Amino acid sequence: MDNSVSLFVYIISDWLGLVSLASCIGVLVCLLWVLAPPRGDALSGLRSLLAGMWRLLGIAIAALFASNIIGLLVRAAEMSGKPFPGVLPVLPTVVFRTHLGHVWIIRMAALVVLSVTMVAARRSPRSLPSSYLMLGCALLLSATESASGHASDAGDFSVPEIMDWLHLLGPMVWGGGLLVLSAVILPRLVQEGDRAAGSMAGVAARFSRIAGVAVALIALTAVYQAWAYVSVEALVRSPYGRTLIAKVVLFSLLLGLGAFNRYIRVPRLQEWAGSATTRRGVLGRIVAPVLLPLARDARGPLVAKQFTRSVKCEACLLLAVLLCAALLRHEIPPRHAPHLEHDASVMPGPWRPNDGARLP
């Protein structure tokens, strides 16, 4: 397989894996903490929502299986220097004798447990033990992403690897929730109009709090990531730095849109539902007056439609951010380049000392 084609296939499969993993985590987070317990007539509507979320979870798990298998084949081809048909004989060596293979085994085991638990829990999709077990499997899957990336160069369970995992976990929770809200939950609630005002306001407020925690986690770990992998000079001179700039710009747009929803549209949804408005913290009292002139004077179902469209825009931006994250996994961080050049000089040949490709 041509190197450029191989890289393209790997990046797309990696991006598909990140999106699918975010969807899995988003479904489970929404099941546990975003959807309210049903009351009275809301039970039938909840069943419809759960059916849609369960379908999304099943599709995401299937996509994760496909992404991991394609990723292993491409990485084995890169590591062995063999074309695709000839890579099959070396797969046992890659799987059982490399760090990449060991991480892949853990990832597939977590996927199998996640799949079996999902099938077993279909009759009671809001079962807490099953949901927490599936969430644990999804978190383990996210940890294996860091264990096979640039951060794994520092060793398993090292500070860089843990920080990389936390930096990935923030977008997984926030972005996964956005995907579930925009694809399943909000369109169904909007169709019900005024009857779903309370549900819409509750879902928006609860998810807004979760997103706030995720954003704080992203911001804190981003400082460490920038210090560990990028210098100011390399930001514009290296492909890694330019991709990082694109990611920061997209994330800034996502953050601005999220802030507008949190401080403008969520309170208006609560007013529509006649529920208590969420108290604004110090940051909210500063940001809300700045954003208020940008808001249209909309009330009632119109606010719900605007909120739904805005969440869909956030979800699209999140997909672009995850694409940048997939690209970054295949670029060499500027501060890693010197030691990789040294490794290449002492270990020539097709076995590249790339992220996660440790050989015995």
Side-chain angles (χ1 to χ4, degrees), residues 38 52 69 86 139 190 233 279 284 323 331:
I69 292 171
L139 294 179
V190 168
E233 181 181 359
R279 292 184 179 180
L323 178 59
E331 297 288 353

Short mmCIF file of all heavy atoms in Angstrom, two decimals, residues 38 52 69 86 139 190 233 279 284 323 331:
data_model
loop_
_atom_site.label_atom_id
_atom_site.label_comp_id
_atom_site.label_asym_id
_atom_site.label_seq_id
_atom_site.Cartn_x
_atom_site.Cartn_y
_atom_site.Cartn_z
N PRO A 38 -38.47 9.34 34.19
CA PRO A 38 -39.76 9.61 33.55
C PRO A 38 -40.87 9.81 34.58
O PRO A 38 -40.84 9.25 35.66
CB PRO A 38 -40.00 8.35 32.72
CG PRO A 38 -39.25 7.27 33.45
CD PRO A 38 -38.04 7.96 34.02
N GLY A 52 -33.64 5.27 20.32
CA GLY A 52 -32.74 5.97 19.43
C GLY A 52 -31.31 6.01 19.95
O GLY A 52 -30.35 5.84 19.19
N ILE A 69 -9.71 -2.59 13.73
CA ILE A 69 -9.17 -3.61 12.85
C ILE A 69 -8.41 -2.97 11.69
O ILE A 69 -7.28 -3.37 11.35
CB ILE A 69 -10.30 -4.52 12.33
CG1 ILE A 69 -10.86 -5.35 13.49
CG2 ILE A 69 -9.79 -5.43 11.22
CD1 ILE A 69 -12.12 -6.13 13.14
N GLY A 86 0.44 -9.02 2.13
CA GLY A 86 1.59 -9.66 2.77
C GLY A 86 1.72 -9.36 4.24
O GLY A 86 2.64 -9.86 4.89
N LEU A 139 -14.29 4.35 29.09
CA LEU A 139 -13.17 5.11 29.64
C LEU A 139 -11.86 4.36 29.42
O LEU A 139 -10.82 4.97 29.15
CB LEU A 139 -13.39 5.38 31.13
CG LEU A 139 -14.56 6.30 31.48
CD1 LEU A 139 -14.68 6.47 32.99
CD2 LEU A 139 -14.41 7.67 30.80
N VAL A 190 -38.14 18.65 20.42
CA VAL A 190 -38.68 19.79 19.67
C VAL A 190 -40.00 19.44 19.00
O VAL A 190 -40.91 20.27 18.91
CB VAL A 190 -37.64 20.27 18.62
CG1 VAL A 190 -38.27 21.25 17.64
CG2 VAL A 190 -36.46 20.95 19.31
N GLU A 233 8.10 28.90 18.70
CA GLU A 233 8.74 29.01 17.38
C GLU A 233 8.20 27.95 16.42
O GLU A 233 8.03 28.20 15.22
CB GLU A 233 10.25 28.85 17.54
CG GLU A 233 11.01 28.96 16.22
CD GLU A 233 12.51 28.76 16.41
OE1 GLU A 233 12.95 28.55 17.56
OE2 GLU A 233 13.24 28.82 15.41
N ARG A 279 -28.44 29.73 38.43
CA ARG A 279 -27.69 30.88 38.91
C ARG A 279 -26.40 31.04 38.12
O ARG A 279 -25.70 30.06 37.84
CB ARG A 279 -27.35 30.73 40.39
CG ARG A 279 -28.56 30.81 41.32
CD ARG A 279 -28.11 30.75 42.75
NE ARG A 279 -29.25 30.84 43.66
CZ ARG A 279 -29.13 30.81 44.99
NH1 ARG A 279 -27.93 30.67 45.55
NH2 ARG A 279 -30.21 30.91 45.75
N GLY A 284 -20.26 33.85 34.49
CA GLY A 284 -21.52 34.09 33.80
C GLY A 284 -21.95 35.54 33.88
O GLY A 284 -22.48 36.09 32.91
N LEU A 323 -11.09 15.66 14.04
CA LEU A 323 -10.27 15.40 12.85
C LEU A 323 -8.87 15.97 13.05
O LEU A 323 -7.87 15.33 12.70
CB LEU A 323 -10.93 16.00 11.61
CG LEU A 323 -10.15 15.85 10.30
CD1 LEU A 323 -9.91 14.37 9.98
CD2 LEU A 323 -10.90 16.52 9.14
N GLU A 331 1.40 13.35 13.34
CA GLU A 331 2.48 14.32 13.15
C GLU A 331 3.44 14.20 14.33
O GLU A 331 3.05 13.84 15.44
CB GLU A 331 1.92 15.75 13.07
CG GLU A 331 1.00 16.01 11.90
CD GLU A 331 1.74 16.08 10.58
OE1 GLU A 331 2.99 16.06 10.59
OE2 GLU A 331 1.06 16.14 9.53
#
